[in-house]
């Protein structure tokens, strides 16, 4: 085999392996179970959390999803949105520390939601929507540990919590950031403070805020997808540059007397 052929073969093999690694990394980065939106105001009321579950297996489908809600900082008034083909089982737990609200003292809260009966195939994802009455106001972050079960019996445990200043763990738990709300802002918009006391005036404001939240979430998701696409494209361009350099080197050697 000529030196030129050997160089081209090695260059092609290296490029193929590099490109495969790039595409695998890009797929893994988007395969985590996540919660949307990524943030809400502390004490926010009457909102929706959407748990996005992608399928990352080539030969198996997701058949069961278990989301565990924290009970040390409980989410109150949880309601599950029906999902076609899926059956939801809601488990409640008695709180160690009851929560006082305007409607009375809450002694029980939802601690687990399990969806079964459906199927998320390769290349697909499913959003599981959960409505809440009130988020806690005594913490800055909520983690929702999640178990994802596949049709082949394997289970992926999305339970690792990210550490400040550290790299993202391999199997991070979906996390919701709770921010300090501005004075007079509606809690239900995901960025404000406590809701107003006048129910009649709060209703239209809440609807408007819900719309703003969905638009903001869609924008954030689009920006995130664009950033990932640009990053992947840049890496692919680099690989193509490596291939071109290999061919140029091979031609140069072949042209020498």
């Amino acid at each position: 085999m000529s030196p030129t052929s050997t160089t081209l073969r090695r260059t092609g093999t290296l490029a193929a392996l590099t490109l495969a690694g790039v595409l695998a990394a890009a797929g893994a980065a988007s395969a985590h179970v996540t919660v949307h939106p990524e943030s809400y105001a502390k004490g926010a009321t009457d909102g929706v959390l959407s748990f996005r579950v992608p399928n990352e297996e080539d030969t198996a489908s997701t058949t069961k999803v278990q989301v565990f809600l924290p009970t040390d900082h409980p989410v109150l008034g949880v309601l599950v949105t029906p999902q076609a083909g899926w059956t939801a089982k809601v488990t409640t737990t008695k709180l160690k520390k009851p929560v006082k609200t305007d409607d009375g003292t809450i002694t029980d809260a939802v601690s687990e939601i399990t969806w079964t009966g459906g199927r998320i195939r390769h290349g697909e994802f499913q959003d599981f929507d959960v409505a809440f009455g009130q988020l806690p106001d005594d913490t800055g972050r909520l983690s929702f540990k999640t178990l994802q079960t596949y049709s082949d019996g394997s289970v992926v445990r999305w339970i690792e919590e990210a550490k400040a200043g550290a790299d993202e763990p391999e199997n991070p738990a979906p996390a919701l950031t709770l921010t300090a709300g501005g004075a007079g802002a509606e809690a239900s918009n995901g960025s404000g403070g406590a809701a107003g006391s006048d129910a009649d005036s709060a209703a239209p404001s809440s609807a408007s805020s819900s719309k703003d939240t969905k638009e903001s979430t869609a924008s954030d998701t689009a920006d995130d997808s664009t950033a990932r696409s640009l990053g992947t494209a840049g890496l692919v361009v680099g690989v193509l540059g490596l291939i071109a350099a290999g061919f140029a080197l091979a031609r140069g050697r072949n042209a020498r007397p």
Side-chain angles (χ1 to χ4, degrees):
M1 182 178 292
S2 67
T4 299
S5 298
T6 300
T7 300
L8 290 176
R9 186 182 69 177
R10 290 177 177 175
T11 301
T13 300
L14 177 60
L17 291 174
T18 304
L19 182 58
V22 168
L23 296 177
S30 60
H32 300 338
V33 175
T34 52
V35 60
H36 302 273
E38 297 179 351
S39 67
Y40 256 111
K42 291 182 178 180
T45 58
D46 301 327
V48 174
L49 297 175
S50 183
F51 294 92
R52 178 161 295 177
V53 182
N55 188 85
E56 60 178 1
E57 293 291 338
D58 295 334
T59 59
S61 300
T62 297
T63 57
K64 181 179 180 180
V65 176
Q66 296 166 269
V67 175
F68 297 87
L69 284 68
T71 54
D72 52 347
H73 304 286
V75 178
L76 306 180
V78 170
L79 296 173
V80 178
T81 301
Q83 299 284 352
W86 294 88
T87 299
K89 177 183 177 182
V90 178
T91 302
T92 59
T93 298
K94 192 172 186 63
L95 299 175
K96 293 181 178 179
K97 182 180 179 181
V99 179
K100 293 183 179 181
T101 70
D102 293 339
D103 297 324
T105 300
I106 306 298
T107 59
D108 299 87
V110 173
S111 58
E112 179 186 345
I113 305 174
T114 300
W115 286 273
T116 56
R119 189 173 292 268
I120 308 172
R121 295 175 174 82
H122 174 66
E124 299 177 345
F125 72 88
Q126 178 72 55
D127 284 340
F128 297 94
D129 295 336
V130 176
F132 62 82
Q134 183 175 333
L135 295 176
D137 59 5
D138 57 352
T139 185
R141 186 180 179 86
L142 294 177
S143 291
F144 301 92
K145 296 181 178 181
T146 302
L147 302 183
Q148 182 178 10
T149 302
Y150 286 92
S151 55
D152 60 3
S154 62
V155 178
V156 180
R157 300 168 62 82
W158 303 101
I159 62 173
E160 298 177 275
E161 297 190 23
K163 305 291 184 182
D167 293 337
E168 183 182 58
E170 182 178 355
N171 294 314
L176 178 70
T177 299
L178 298 180
T179 61
E186 292 290 344
S188 58
N189 65 7
S191 61
S197 58
D198 189 339
D200 293 336
S201 62
S205 178
S206 175
S208 176
S209 298
S210 177
K211 178 181 179 182
D212 292 342
T213 299
K214 291 180 179 179
E215 292 176 350
S216 175
T217 302
S219 176
D220 292 343
T221 302
D223 291 343
D224 183 57
S225 298
T226 300
R228 286 176 178 169
S229 298
L230 290 175
T232 303
L235 292 173
V236 172
V237 169
V239 173
L240 295 177
L242 177 62
I243 296 174
F247 277 105
L249 178 62
R251 289 196 186 100
R253 289 180 176 176
N254 190 44
R256 291 175 184 174

